[in-house]
Amino acid sequence: MELTGAQILLKCLEKEGVDVVFGFPGGAVIDIYDEIPNFSVEHILVRHEQGAIHAADGYARATGDTGVCLVTSGPGATNTVTGIATAYLDSIPVVIFTGQVPRPLIGNDAFQEVDIVGITRPCTKHNYLVQDVCDLARIVKQAFYIARSGRPGPVLVDLPKDVLNQKCRFDYPEKVSMRSYNPNVKPHVGQVRKVAGLIRKAERPLIYSGGGVVSSKSHEELRWLAQELRIPVTSTLMGLGAYPGDDEELWLGMLGMHGTYSANMAIHNCDLLLAAGARFDDRVTGKISEFAPHATIVHIDVDPTSIQKNVSVHVPLVADCKEALGALQKEMQALRDEMDWERKHEQWLAQIQEWRRMHPLTYLDDEEKIKPQYVVEKIDEITKGEAIICTEVGQNQMWAAQFCTVKEPNMFLTSGGLGTMGYGFPAALGAQRAFPDKLVIDIAGDGSIQMNIQEMMTAVCNKLPVKIVILNNGYLGMVRQWQELFYEKNYCATCMDAQPDFVKLAEAYGAAGFRVTRKQDVQSVLEEAFALDKPVIVDVRVEQEENVYPMVPAGASLTEMLLV
Amino acid sequence: MRHTLSVMVENEPGVLSRVAGLFSGRGFNIESLNVAPTLEKGVSLMTIVAEGDEAIIEQIVKQLRKLVPVITVKDLTEVQSVERETVLLKLNAEDSKRAEILRVTDIFRCKIVDVSCDELTVECTGDRGKIKAIVNLLGRFGIKEIARTGNVAMKRSMQMD
């Protein structure tokens, strides 16, 4: 039986196991919307296309599966670009379907026409313009395969309106066969042995784990290596949760610009740095020439372009982290009887504890004023590390990363690579849709939350009881911090004291709103808010000029930290 | 250093733009880029000449390999290869200069592919050095127009020590 392009698309989504699509309709995709009620795929109507792509991204990060987003042509498509770039830089599998004008009109500057394939070429893993309905099923199959495999990433499929009306026999390919795309996931045996040998010899080893460990689901292998071999672990922002944040002996916290003193000192002094699924971002390395100066660096990454890109690596290992860490685990198990791991790193671990004692992650608390770190600590205390934490971008994001105890992967969703303000709330909606029974909290700033606040209506309509906690300091705090430290307090354009009434705003949407101005109310209001079965905004008026510490100034060495 | 890359790609819409975009998006410079279909259906060969230190070329090669429609990437600089370029030169060629032009083009085994009263169009094929030399030599007669294909290249069958 022949199906239309629109029917084929929805059938493909069913075959891929997609249960929810975040989208916004328009003329070019109206045929798909006409068919949605006839298929099992649920559609969540957002209020802005940027919300749709971030929600699909949040769904993907929380589940470890692929998120799907559907928008119309022209402005619908261009509104997703920020979200596509966000997913691209953080290697998140998302498939984006965009409407396109009918094929005969392509290139004619037709109404709501844009070359979205051209626009998104540099920020997608791959993209397609479907020219024939008979190619549609194959392209969708490939799109999901490419998005999920190798280094994951967003894939866009552009759908001309007339292709959606064309008919063709539906035949979904069983397998994907592409002569040009075969990501290498298996590690080289010789290289794995070499790494095992290095671990065996190392006196001061350190694991630097990144988002690749989360996306490849290799946290169990990572934990084994760290705990059995007694190797301390630090992580990037994207890697939080891969190693349990409550291990007080081996877990050092995040490294880099706002990393802990102990993590940054450990990087500087280690003799073996085992980097897994991380890409040596400039926010992590500080001054490259002084990064891990005494270490032999091993780099495991599925993407060969990440290796040798920023730092010179001694032993590259191109492979999926799960495969590589699994192979390494086997090698080390074989060597186990020969070694006394327990005592081998005793001095090193003692040194790390000493650094931790000297400069713990802390802040100067206040009797009266509400410190933002205090609020995050309270959130962590109340939720016992069992909530999915989403963040916006800026100081709120760094405090969340520093003071939340992330115990499991896929529990801390944040825009790491692109640093997208407005990401957290719609991403939280995606996570909440994936896990209706979990507590999902967006830790926000007063600046960031205003970038996609319209999605409060999506939350209310779809009964997605996300809790937004605004650390409201009346500033674009991170830029203000830089202005304070490096621009002689020239607070140009960072003061946000003209604000909406967030409580009334929440109520206007049909959500609940709370305002906290006294320190003694923080805990009780958070508890009340988290207990409500509806979306909530908690507007917490925090100390205005609080800074994120430790801080490594841009371009400085990791040991040159500004401390509290 | 100058590198010649031989890149086999799926012959599909947008592939040239993906490759060119990779260079521009990362601030790499392309000296020349030549693309045409191969004997294999649906496959085209690109010959790209780019300049950069080892680290830059390594990134270019890896980034090219990462593009979904790219099948293989070979750096021909690492092996012995044959490189050729074709150039068309439209020259000022009044009667007094014509004999000298023909003598030079004969030495270089060029072809005259178009003639008028005061112009000659010369086709010349050769490696980079030959092309450079002929352009220099004929330059003194006055080149009115020039069109170059950019390099095409192929690994030599026998690799000599």
Side-chain angles (χ1 to χ4, degrees):
Chain A
M1 197 181 105
E2 290 201 328
L3 301 179
T4 65
Q7 291 166 331
I8 288 173
L9 174 70
L10 290 160
K11 200 106 178 127
C12 292
L13 295 184
E14 284 184 343
K15 291 267 182 196
E16 285 297 321
V18 174
D19 69 335
V20 63
V21 169
F22 300 89
F24 200 98
V29 286
I30 201 166
D31 295 284
I32 302 172
Y33 279 85
D34 192 45
E35 290 290 346
I36 283 178
N38 303 325
F39 290 82
S40 64
V41 179
E42 184 194 348
H43 177 268
I44 289 189
L45 173 65
V46 295
R47 295 306 189 264
H48 187 291
E49 289 87 352
Q50 192 184 350
I53 177 80
H54 288 326
D57 171 312
Y59 178 91
R61 291 188 206 222
T63 57
D65 203 349
T66 306
V68 181
C69 152
L70 169 64
V71 298
T72 193
S73 63
T78 53
N79 277 345
T80 64
V81 172
T82 302
I84 294 174
T86 304
Y88 183 67
L89 277 193
D90 288 343
S91 308
I92 305 303
V94 183
V95 178
I96 306 103
F97 294 99
T98 50
Q100 183 53 277
V101 300
R103 282 169 303 163
L105 295 184
I106 292 177
N108 289 3
D109 297 336
F111 176 65
Q112 291 197 329
E113 183 198 353
V114 80
D115 173 16
I116 195 64
V117 169
I119 288 171
T120 58
R121 211 165 265 145
C123 62
T124 49
K125 188 171 170 189
H126 194 51
N127 58 17
Y128 295 90
L129 169 64
V130 183
Q131 305 263 27
D132 186 329
V133 71
C134 294
D135 294 332
L136 181 57
R138 173 184 58 81
I139 286 175
V140 175
K141 178 85 182 172
Q142 285 182 356
F144 277 91
Y145 174 66
I146 292 170
R148 286 169 180 155
S149 57
R151 178 178 181 169
V155 178
L156 182 140
V157 182
D158 200 22
L159 305 159
K161 185 172 165 66
D162 59 327
V163 170
L164 295 172
N165 291 321
Q166 274 187 329
K167 282 191 164 180
C168 177
R169 212 173 77 89
F170 177 69
D171 189 9
Y172 202 58
E174 289 277 304
K175 275 188 177 173
V176 173
S177 159
M178 296 168 75
R179 65 183 151 190
S180 59
Y181 177 75
N182 297 294
N184 178 32
V185 294
K186 296 273 180 202
H188 185 276
V189 180
Q191 292 292 86
V192 173
R193 276 201 195 122
K194 204 183 222 177
V195 178
L198 288 169
I199 295 177
R200 193 177 163 192
K201 271 192 247 157
E203 299 283 331
R204 303 183 307 280
L206 178 67
I207 294 173
Y208 150 43
S209 144
V213 175
V214 176
S215 64
S216 66
K217 302 179 173 67
S218 52
H219 52 282
E220 294 295 347
E221 289 80 356
L222 173 84
R223 290 168 187 204
W224 187 92
L225 285 169
Q227 287 161 4
E228 290 294 316
L229 311 179
R230 299 185 52 73
I231 303 176
V233 183
T234 179
S235 133
T236 66
L237 180 65
M238 291 298 297
L240 292 177
Y243 194 81
D246 56 354
D247 180 341
E248 288 181 5
E249 191 189 15
L250 296 174
W251 171 243
L252 301 184
M254 191 169 71
L255 81 161
M257 182 174 271
H258 294 296
T260 63
Y261 181 81
S262 53
N264 287 343
M265 290 304 285
I267 288 275
H268 192 78
N269 288 281
C270 66
D271 64 354
L272 175 69
L273 185 65
L274 185 64
R279 61 192 167 92
F280 298 87
D281 179 273
D282 56 283
R283 286 293 190 265
V284 153
T285 60
K287 193 176 185 179
I288 295 255
S289 59
E290 289 171 25
F291 179 77
H294 312 294
T296 301
I297 302 180
V298 175
H299 190 184
I300 302 168
D301 206 299
V302 74
D303 178 3
T305 62
S306 282
I307 292 172
Q308 307 288 15
K309 185 164 64 180
N310 297 328
V311 300
S312 183
V313 169
H314 303 94
V315 187
L317 199 53
V318 179
D320 178 81
C321 276
K322 192 167 181 69
E323 298 277 349
L325 294 177
L328 206 48
Q329 181 177 343
K330 275 192 193 139
E331 281 294 320
M332 296 315 296
Q333 270 165 337
L335 291 173
R336 208 167 166 195
D337 295 341
E338 302 170 27
M339 307 294 299
D340 182 5
W341 304 111
E342 195 67 32
R343 253 181 282 159
K344 191 165 161 52
H345 305 140
E346 217 169 45
Q347 254 183 320
W348 175 230
L349 291 173
Q351 170 67 74
I352 282 169
Q353 289 304 331
E354 177 59 20
W355 282 324
R356 204 201 295 266
R357 264 194 301 276
M358 278 164 67
H359 297 289
L361 190 60
T362 188
Y363 60 97
L364 299 175
D365 204 0
D366 194 285
E367 290 290 309
E368 298 293 319
K369 290 174 183 164
I370 308 175
K371 290 292 182 108
Q373 300 94 327
Y374 173 80
V375 181
V376 179
E377 275 184 338
K378 284 291 159 201
I379 293 172
D380 193 46
E381 206 179 294
I382 297 166
T383 60
K384 300 184 183 70
E386 281 164 14
I388 295 179
I389 303 291
C390 303
T391 82
E392 300 294 336
V393 164
Q395 288 183 316
N396 61 82
Q397 179 184 31
M398 290 300 112
W399 285 318
Q402 290 178 332
F403 292 94
C404 281
T405 314
V406 192
K407 293 183 196 161
E408 295 295 330
N410 310 102
M411 299 280 282
F412 189 82
L413 319 186
T414 192
S415 168
L418 195 67
T420 309
M421 289 173 73
Y423 167 80
F425 179 38
L429 298 181
Q432 187 79 80
R433 168 57 185 76
F435 296 101
D437 300 328
K438 275 202 168 159
L439 180 59
V440 180
I441 300 167
D442 177 34
I443 297 179
D446 48 300
S448 276
I449 195 61
Q450 292 185 65
M451 285 207 171
N452 273 316
I453 191 72
Q454 76 288 342
E455 297 309 330
M456 186 51 93
M457 205 66 250
T458 309
V460 172
C461 284
N462 292 280
K463 299 191 167 43
L464 299 168
V466 168
K467 318 293 181 240
I468 301 172
V469 181
I470 304 176
L471 306 176
N472 189 342
N473 57 14
Y475 278 109
L476 298 174
M478 190 57 98
V479 184
R480 188 211 57 74
Q481 176 170 339
W482 282 50
Q483 287 172 329
E484 178 192 328
L485 298 174
F486 311 116
Y487 294 85
E488 296 168 344
K489 294 197 176 187
N490 179 15
Y491 294 162
C492 180
T494 45
C495 183
M496 297 279 276
D497 54 359
Q499 293 182 334
D501 181 328
F502 288 111
V503 174
K504 283 188 183 162
L505 189 61
E507 287 165 359
Y509 277 112
F514 296 88
R515 180 166 297 112
V516 188
T517 54
R518 298 185 313 165
K519 191 177 175 187
Q520 63 263 40
D521 297 335
V522 171
Q523 176 146 0
S524 58
V525 173
L526 287 177
E527 277 170 349
E528 191 183 344
F530 295 169
L532 281 178
D533 189 24
K534 61 195 305 196
V536 180
I537 292 180
V538 185
D539 178 17
V540 190
R541 299 301 170 97
V542 298
E543 164 75 11
Q544 287 206 291
E545 296 191 31
E546 183 66 17
N547 289 340
V548 182
Y549 291 118
M551 180 182 188
V552 177
S557 148
L558 287 188
T559 51
E560 298 173 80
M561 282 166 275
L562 307 175
L563 299 160
V564 177
Chain B
M1 191 185 157
R2 208 172 147 270
H3 284 248
T4 303
L5 307 176
S6 182
V7 185
M8 204 78 88
V9 297
E10 297 282 356
N11 189 356
E12 62 182 37
V15 68
L16 179 61
S17 156
R18 274 180 217 284
V19 170
L22 185 153
F23 279 77
S24 63
R26 289 166 196 275
F28 304 142
N29 195 26
I30 302 179
E31 188 180 302
S32 72
L33 192 159
N34 181 292
V35 54
T38 62
L39 289 175
E40 198 174 343
K41 200 177 165 223
V43 176
S44 286
L45 181 70
M46 286 185 185
T47 309
I48 303 170
V49 180
E51 186 121 11
D53 61 26
E54 290 308 310
I56 288 180
I57 298 298
E58 187 184 333
Q59 263 301 307
I60 290 175
V61 170
K62 285 176 172 176
Q63 295 286 356
L64 283 168
R65 285 191 179 131
K66 196 166 143 180
L67 292 178
V68 170
V70 169
I71 303 166
T72 57
V73 183
K74 284 184 204 151
D75 186 349
L76 294 178
T77 322
E78 293 162 1
V79 295
Q80 288 168 359
S81 59
V82 189
E83 292 192 19
R84 288 292 179 272
E85 179 174 2
T86 293
V87 60
L88 292 175
L89 297 156
K90 189 178 281 175
L91 305 166
N92 280 323
E94 346 27 298
D95 289 348
S96 59
K97 294 178 182 169
R98 199 162 281 214
E100 179 63 11
I101 291 172
L102 290 174
R103 209 169 10 251
V104 173
T105 54
D106 191 40
I107 294 167
F108 277 79
R109 279 172 287 166
C110 304
K111 277 187 204 157
I112 308 298
V113 290
D114 189 40
V115 184
S116 73
C117 297
D118 55 358
E119 287 175 351
L120 275 177
T121 302
V122 177
E123 174 202 313
C124 184
T125 299
D127 63 17
R128 200 164 171 251
K130 181 177 171 182
I131 299 294
K132 201 173 166 191
I134 191 84
V135 171
N136 271 344
L137 275 169
L138 294 178
R140 61 200 168 104
F141 301 108
I143 298 172
K144 296 179 90 172
E145 248 182 83
I146 185 165
R148 297 173 69 160
T149 59
N151 254 10
V152 288
M154 206 176 262
K155 182 182 164 189
R156 282 190 189 275
S157 302
M158 283 176 71
Q159 295 286 306
M160 313 295 269
D161 291 336

